[in-house]
């Protein structure tokens, strides 16, 4: 039996969307148990009388997006997130899911659950969409680390490649390095050294990738330093959100005929927007800590949370953490 | 009389679009002379018999996008770009415009025309669009430097702020630092130090900006290290290009009614695409070299080149280079 600790209080649609997603997933994943952390009364009302593979742990505090991440996990000790992380640390649960404050989730993973031995720095990894396929790609690190070293990038690439293969089913994942040009000598010292490490590794390294090529589907895994990865990830979100906003604005304010046209294309447009919803592929995973720690977007609805639960269940089923433990304990 | 050296052979629409843009601008800018570099026969045919403030210098080589930038300017000594840069260096022209190989243009600026005394590293600076206004913002450096130091970012911010004020007419430009969070202690050592330098400067520093906020119009000038700036600029281009591609694809392949809808919204959509054409605001300027060196996109048509010529003329008229010379000679 696998057990997932669910912070039921994070995100805009908490706890309702989260609890409903848990109930939906539970019906399907018959070998998985769920522990929900948060406002017991509210959660119980949503869960109803169901007590099969579901447990509620009452907590009295909530970490908000406005909270300073590290300070919050130190001061809000009875928050749904911190107590859920403690359950994982104590072995009472196998994985952590939250829709809350990203920085606090990362801090819970690193400081409460802790690193896998042999992994110097965990990396934060979303799955992002690509142009002409539904496969997407993994980018790591997107901001768990402001400061990166070449060997971190190698470790991140190894973990992400393994993840892409086992969880997303990509055969022999193509690994690329985000750099400022395609040639092998591109980049600053960090990226030049990372290039060499990746080249000398047994990964399927396909070379450098540039910022404009990320969504083209040229790689299954993109390794990047956490600073650049953070800027680029946020920029993908920002650019697509501004473009979609401008498109909607244009369609609504360009006269009657355009409005009619907008009605006719509405459904097609919706598909486009969902393609660029970076949460479609489940949550972002903090790889390198001693349990799956998964953050999904605060805006997530029941469906998005449901997919994230399935993703976590797959990570547990494939024993990704166990593999990392033996891989990095031996080689590092 | 101001003189602009124009590489007539760079870009997809060379030399036709370039020569036509020069003729269009020349009619308007009555105090500006143009020297066109390239295939004399082709250019002469396009120019016709007009000899007023226009000169053609025959060159025999062209630097392509495939050429290795620095090697190309060393080996293709009779290329339109290199000879044009030599004219600027020798004082026979005041500014350089090219649509060609970005790396070679930067190399011409840095190695042939040379840095302004007191400026350690020139920065490459486009003007990019923002969400709810036509003003745009300047981002610097977007890739002239793979390795950056805090003091470079300060110099780039100073030059860009001055440019935004004098050339784009922005009063007291808001300067922000691209960082991985809004708080003052965010970022790696480079960005933490750059933050302090910007804070202590007499610039109108408004703090950190994150990757998702760039196109929101929160700053008039964004300072960034050249590595991150390069990744983010390319990512803006890549993300918008993929989104627009997907949108067009959806509209054409979602059945008859959607096609009708697409026809109705076509014009509105066109405005959106042009908003995200990053070349709309003229070319990107290499700031910190001893003359305006401006690169505009290889895809540019006559209109885009025309706007870039007007931009260069404004830079010359405002004596931006002269201001930089005295500003940085005194203070550094």
């Amino acid at each position: 039996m696998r057990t997932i600790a669910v912070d039921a209080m994070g995100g805009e649609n908490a706890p309702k969307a989260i609890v409903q997603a848990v109930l939906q997933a539970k019906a399907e994943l018959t070998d998985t148990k769920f522990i929900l952390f948060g406002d017991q009364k509210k959660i119980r009302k949503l869960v109803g009388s169901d007590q099969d593979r579901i447990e509620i742990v009452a907590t009295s505090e909530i970490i908000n997006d406005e909270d300073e991440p590290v300070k919050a996990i130190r001061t809000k000790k009875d928050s749904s997130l911190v107590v859920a992380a403690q359950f994982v640390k104590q072995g009472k649960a196998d994985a952590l899911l939250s829709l809350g404050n990203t920085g606090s989730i990362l801090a819970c993973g690193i400081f409460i659950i802790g690193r896998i031995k042999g992994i110097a720095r965990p990396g934060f990894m979303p799955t992002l969409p690509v142009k002409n396929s539904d496969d997407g790609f993994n980018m790591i690190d997107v901001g768990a680390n402001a400061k990166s070293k070449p060997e971190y990038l190698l470790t991140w690439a190894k973990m992400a490649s393994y993840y892409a293969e086992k969880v997303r089913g990509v055969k022999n994942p193509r690994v690329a390095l985000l750099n400022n040009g395609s040639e092998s000598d591109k980049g600053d010292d960090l990226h030049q050294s990372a290039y060499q490490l990746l080249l000398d590794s047994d990964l399927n390294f396909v070379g450098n990738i540039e910022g404009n090529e990320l969504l083209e589907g040229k790689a299954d895994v993109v390794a990047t330093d956490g600073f650049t990865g953070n800027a680029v990830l946020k920029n993908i979100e920002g650019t697509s959100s501004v473009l979609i906003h401008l498109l909607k604005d244009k369609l609504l304010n360009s006269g009657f005929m355009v409005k009619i046209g907008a009605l006719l294309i509405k459904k097609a447009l919706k598909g486009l927007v969902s393609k660029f919803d970076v949460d479609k592929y489940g949550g972002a995973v903090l790889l390198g800590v001693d349990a799956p720690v998964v953050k999904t977007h605060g805006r997530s609805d029941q469906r998005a949370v449901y997919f994230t639960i399935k993703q976590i269940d797959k990570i547990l089923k494939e024993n990704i953490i166990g593999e990392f433990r033996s891989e990095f304990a031996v080689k590092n």
Side-chain angles (χ1 to χ4, degrees), chain A residues 7-31:
Chain A
D7 167 13
M9 306 311 285
E12 292 168 21
N13 304 311
K16 195 175 171 187
I18 301 170
V19 174
Q20 286 175 337
V22 164
L23 296 174
Q24 183 186 357
K26 188 169 76 81
E28 203 174 310
L29 309 169
T30 53
D31 208 27

mmCIF file of all heavy atoms in Angstrom, chain A residues 7-31:
data_model
loop_
_atom_site.group_PDB
_atom_site.id
_atom_site.type_symbol
_atom_site.label_atom_id
_atom_site.label_comp_id
_atom_site.label_asym_id
_atom_site.label_seq_id
_atom_site.Cartn_x
_atom_site.Cartn_y
_atom_site.Cartn_z
ATOM 1 N N ASP A 7 -1.548 17.994 1.247
ATOM 2 C CA ASP A 7 -1.833 19.281 1.874
ATOM 3 C C ASP A 7 -3.152 19.777 1.277
ATOM 4 O O ASP A 7 -3.188 20.231 0.126
ATOM 5 C CB ASP A 7 -0.684 20.248 1.576
ATOM 6 C CG ASP A 7 -1.027 21.692 1.916
ATOM 7 O OD1 ASP A 7 -2.041 21.939 2.592
ATOM 8 O OD2 ASP A 7 -0.254 22.591 1.492
ATOM 9 N N ALA A 8 -4.229 19.681 2.047
ATOM 10 C CA ALA A 8 -5.558 19.988 1.491
ATOM 11 C C ALA A 8 -5.888 21.481 1.501
ATOM 12 O O ALA A 8 -6.950 21.881 1.027
ATOM 13 C CB ALA A 8 -6.631 19.219 2.261
ATOM 14 N N MET A 9 -4.969 22.304 2.039
ATOM 15 C CA MET A 9 -5.293 23.718 2.236
ATOM 16 C C MET A 9 -4.608 24.674 1.257
ATOM 17 O O MET A 9 -4.844 25.879 1.308
ATOM 18 C CB MET A 9 -4.969 24.131 3.672
ATOM 19 C CG MET A 9 -5.629 23.258 4.748
ATOM 20 S SD MET A 9 -7.408 22.977 4.510
ATOM 21 C CE MET A 9 -8.063 24.570 5.008
ATOM 22 N N GLY A 10 -3.726 24.182 0.378
ATOM 23 C CA GLY A 10 -3.013 25.083 -0.539
ATOM 24 C C GLY A 10 -3.789 25.333 -1.823
ATOM 25 O O GLY A 10 -4.550 24.480 -2.276
ATOM 26 N N GLY A 11 -3.608 26.505 -2.405
ATOM 27 C CA GLY A 11 -4.206 26.799 -3.705
ATOM 28 C C GLY A 11 -5.553 27.475 -3.614
ATOM 29 O O GLY A 11 -6.174 27.542 -2.553
ATOM 30 N N GLU A 12 -6.003 27.962 -4.750
ATOM 31 C CA GLU A 12 -7.225 28.776 -4.819
ATOM 32 C C GLU A 12 -8.502 27.967 -4.592
ATOM 33 O O GLU A 12 -9.513 28.511 -4.172
ATOM 34 C CB GLU A 12 -7.318 29.457 -6.186
ATOM 35 C CG GLU A 12 -6.249 30.514 -6.398
ATOM 36 C CD GLU A 12 -6.187 30.970 -7.852
ATOM 37 O OE1 GLU A 12 -7.178 30.793 -8.588
ATOM 38 O OE2 GLU A 12 -5.130 31.508 -8.242
ATOM 39 N N ASN A 13 -8.452 26.679 -4.915
ATOM 40 C CA ASN A 13 -9.671 25.877 -4.856
ATOM 41 C C ASN A 13 -9.684 24.889 -3.695
ATOM 42 O O ASN A 13 -10.384 23.872 -3.731
ATOM 43 C CB ASN A 13 -9.865 25.158 -6.186
ATOM 44 C CG ASN A 13 -9.880 26.124 -7.353
ATOM 45 O OD1 ASN A 13 -10.595 27.128 -7.315
ATOM 46 N ND2 ASN A 13 -9.057 25.871 -8.352
ATOM 47 N N ALA A 14 -8.852 25.207 -2.683
ATOM 48 C CA ALA A 14 -8.757 24.318 -1.512
ATOM 49 C C ALA A 14 -9.901 24.602 -0.543
ATOM 50 O O ALA A 14 -10.363 25.721 -0.450
ATOM 51 C CB ALA A 14 -7.422 24.566 -0.809
ATOM 52 N N PRO A 15 -10.340 23.587 0.201
ATOM 53 C CA PRO A 15 -9.936 22.185 0.052
ATOM 54 C C PRO A 15 -10.799 21.400 -0.957
ATOM 55 O O PRO A 15 -10.478 20.267 -1.253
ATOM 56 C CB PRO A 15 -10.143 21.631 1.468
ATOM 57 C CG PRO A 15 -11.292 22.429 2.008
ATOM 58 C CD PRO A 15 -11.208 23.786 1.381
ATOM 59 N N LYS A 16 -11.847 22.041 -1.483
ATOM 60 C CA LYS A 16 -12.836 21.285 -2.267
ATOM 61 C C LYS A 16 -12.249 20.511 -3.450
ATOM 62 O O LYS A 16 -12.400 19.285 -3.552
ATOM 63 C CB LYS A 16 -13.933 22.244 -2.764
ATOM 64 C CG LYS A 16 -15.151 21.518 -3.269
ATOM 65 C CD LYS A 16 -16.271 22.483 -3.643
ATOM 66 C CE LYS A 16 -17.388 21.728 -4.345
ATOM 67 N NZ LYS A 16 -18.409 22.632 -4.872
ATOM 68 N N ALA A 17 -11.552 21.232 -4.365
ATOM 69 C CA ALA A 17 -11.026 20.580 -5.569
ATOM 70 C C ALA A 17 -10.051 19.469 -5.200
ATOM 71 O O ALA A 17 -10.006 18.414 -5.857
ATOM 72 C CB ALA A 17 -10.336 21.611 -6.456
ATOM 73 N N ILE A 18 -9.305 19.709 -4.113
ATOM 74 C CA ILE A 18 -8.287 18.735 -3.708
ATOM 75 C C ILE A 18 -8.946 17.458 -3.181
ATOM 76 O O ILE A 18 -8.603 16.350 -3.589
ATOM 77 C CB ILE A 18 -7.345 19.362 -2.644
ATOM 78 C CG1 ILE A 18 -6.669 20.611 -3.235
ATOM 79 C CG2 ILE A 18 -6.319 18.345 -2.158
ATOM 80 C CD1 ILE A 18 -5.907 21.455 -2.230
ATOM 81 N N VAL A 19 -9.926 17.638 -2.299
ATOM 82 C CA VAL A 19 -10.602 16.475 -1.725
ATOM 83 C C VAL A 19 -11.337 15.687 -2.814
ATOM 84 O O VAL A 19 -11.265 14.453 -2.884
ATOM 85 C CB VAL A 19 -11.576 16.903 -0.597
ATOM 86 C CG1 VAL A 19 -12.385 15.710 -0.112
ATOM 87 C CG2 VAL A 19 -10.806 17.550 0.547
ATOM 88 N N GLN A 20 -12.009 16.400 -3.694
ATOM 89 C CA GLN A 20 -12.729 15.720 -4.779
ATOM 90 C C GLN A 20 -11.776 14.937 -5.681
ATOM 91 O O GLN A 20 -12.082 13.825 -6.115
ATOM 92 C CB GLN A 20 -13.531 16.739 -5.589
ATOM 93 C CG GLN A 20 -14.770 17.210 -4.810
ATOM 94 C CD GLN A 20 -15.528 18.312 -5.518
ATOM 95 O OE1 GLN A 20 -14.955 19.024 -6.346
ATOM 96 N NE2 GLN A 20 -16.800 18.476 -5.163
ATOM 97 N N ALA A 21 -10.613 15.536 -5.943
ATOM 98 C CA ALA A 21 -9.618 14.842 -6.768
ATOM 99 C C ALA A 21 -9.118 13.586 -6.062
ATOM 100 O O ALA A 21 -8.913 12.541 -6.701
ATOM 101 C CB ALA A 21 -8.448 15.780 -7.074
ATOM 102 N N VAL A 22 -8.929 13.681 -4.748
ATOM 103 C CA VAL A 22 -8.478 12.523 -3.978
ATOM 104 C C VAL A 22 -9.517 11.403 -4.064
ATOM 105 O O VAL A 22 -9.185 10.239 -4.307
ATOM 106 C CB VAL A 22 -8.196 12.915 -2.503
ATOM 107 C CG1 VAL A 22 -8.117 11.687 -1.613
ATOM 108 C CG2 VAL A 22 -6.912 13.736 -2.404
ATOM 109 N N LEU A 23 -10.782 11.763 -3.898
ATOM 110 C CA LEU A 23 -11.843 10.747 -3.956
ATOM 111 C C LEU A 23 -11.904 10.100 -5.345
ATOM 112 O O LEU A 23 -12.051 8.883 -5.483
ATOM 113 C CB LEU A 23 -13.200 11.369 -3.590
ATOM 114 C CG LEU A 23 -13.301 11.894 -2.140
ATOM 115 C CD1 LEU A 23 -14.625 12.613 -1.913
ATOM 116 C CD2 LEU A 23 -13.122 10.762 -1.119
ATOM 117 N N GLN A 24 -11.749 10.943 -6.368
ATOM 118 C CA GLN A 24 -11.750 10.434 -7.750
ATOM 119 C C GLN A 24 -10.588 9.461 -7.969
ATOM 120 O O GLN A 24 -10.771 8.365 -8.511
ATOM 121 C CB GLN A 24 -11.654 11.630 -8.720
ATOM 122 C CG GLN A 24 -11.716 11.229 -10.192
ATOM 123 C CD GLN A 24 -11.463 12.418 -11.124
ATOM 124 O OE1 GLN A 24 -11.292 13.551 -10.679
ATOM 125 N NE2 GLN A 24 -11.440 12.150 -12.417
ATOM 126 N N ALA A 25 -9.395 9.870 -7.540
ATOM 127 C CA ALA A 25 -8.201 9.042 -7.746
ATOM 128 C C ALA A 25 -8.268 7.756 -6.917
ATOM 129 O O ALA A 25 -7.856 6.684 -7.365
ATOM 130 C CB ALA A 25 -6.951 9.840 -7.399
ATOM 131 N N LYS A 26 -8.805 7.872 -5.699
ATOM 132 C CA LYS A 26 -8.874 6.736 -4.780
ATOM 133 C C LYS A 26 -9.694 5.587 -5.385
ATOM 134 O O LYS A 26 -9.344 4.404 -5.248
ATOM 135 C CB LYS A 26 -9.492 7.180 -3.449
ATOM 136 C CG LYS A 26 -9.437 6.126 -2.345
ATOM 137 C CD LYS A 26 -9.817 6.712 -1.000
ATOM 138 C CE LYS A 26 -11.325 6.931 -0.868
ATOM 139 N NZ LYS A 26 -12.071 5.704 -0.502
ATOM 140 N N ALA A 27 -10.770 5.950 -6.064
ATOM 141 C CA ALA A 27 -11.625 4.937 -6.676
ATOM 142 C C ALA A 27 -10.860 4.119 -7.709
ATOM 143 O O ALA A 27 -11.132 2.950 -7.942
ATOM 144 C CB ALA A 27 -12.833 5.616 -7.320
ATOM 145 N N GLU A 28 -9.864 4.762 -8.303
ATOM 146 C CA GLU A 28 -9.113 4.141 -9.392
ATOM 147 C C GLU A 28 -7.852 3.432 -8.897
ATOM 148 O O GLU A 28 -7.506 2.356 -9.384
ATOM 149 C CB GLU A 28 -8.731 5.265 -10.357
ATOM 150 C CG GLU A 28 -8.445 4.826 -11.754
ATOM 151 C CD GLU A 28 -8.235 6.053 -12.624
ATOM 152 O OE1 GLU A 28 -9.091 6.976 -12.583
ATOM 153 O OE2 GLU A 28 -7.215 6.113 -13.302
ATOM 154 N N LEU A 29 -7.160 4.082 -7.964
ATOM 155 C CA LEU A 29 -5.888 3.565 -7.459
ATOM 156 C C LEU A 29 -6.179 2.757 -6.192
ATOM 157 O O LEU A 29 -6.120 3.271 -5.076
ATOM 158 C CB LEU A 29 -4.921 4.712 -7.153
ATOM 159 C CG LEU A 29 -4.728 5.737 -8.282
ATOM 160 C CD1 LEU A 29 -3.971 6.964 -7.786
ATOM 161 C CD2 LEU A 29 -4.002 5.102 -9.469
ATOM 162 N N THR A 30 -6.483 1.487 -6.382
ATOM 163 C CA THR A 30 -7.015 0.694 -5.265
ATOM 164 C C THR A 30 -5.941 0.273 -4.275
ATOM 165 O O THR A 30 -6.254 -0.319 -3.241
ATOM 166 C CB THR A 30 -7.754 -0.549 -5.801
ATOM 167 O OG1 THR A 30 -6.858 -1.231 -6.685
ATOM 168 C CG2 THR A 30 -9.008 -0.148 -6.541
ATOM 169 N N ASP A 31 -4.688 0.562 -4.593
ATOM 170 C CA ASP A 31 -3.614 0.168 -3.690
ATOM 171 C C ASP A 31 -2.953 1.407 -3.054
ATOM 172 O O ASP A 31 -1.792 1.352 -2.634
ATOM 173 C CB ASP A 31 -2.581 -0.660 -4.456
ATOM 174 C CG ASP A 31 -1.863 -1.636 -3.536
ATOM 175 O OD1 ASP A 31 -2.468 -2.029 -2.508
ATOM 176 O OD2 ASP A 31 -0.696 -1.972 -3.834
#
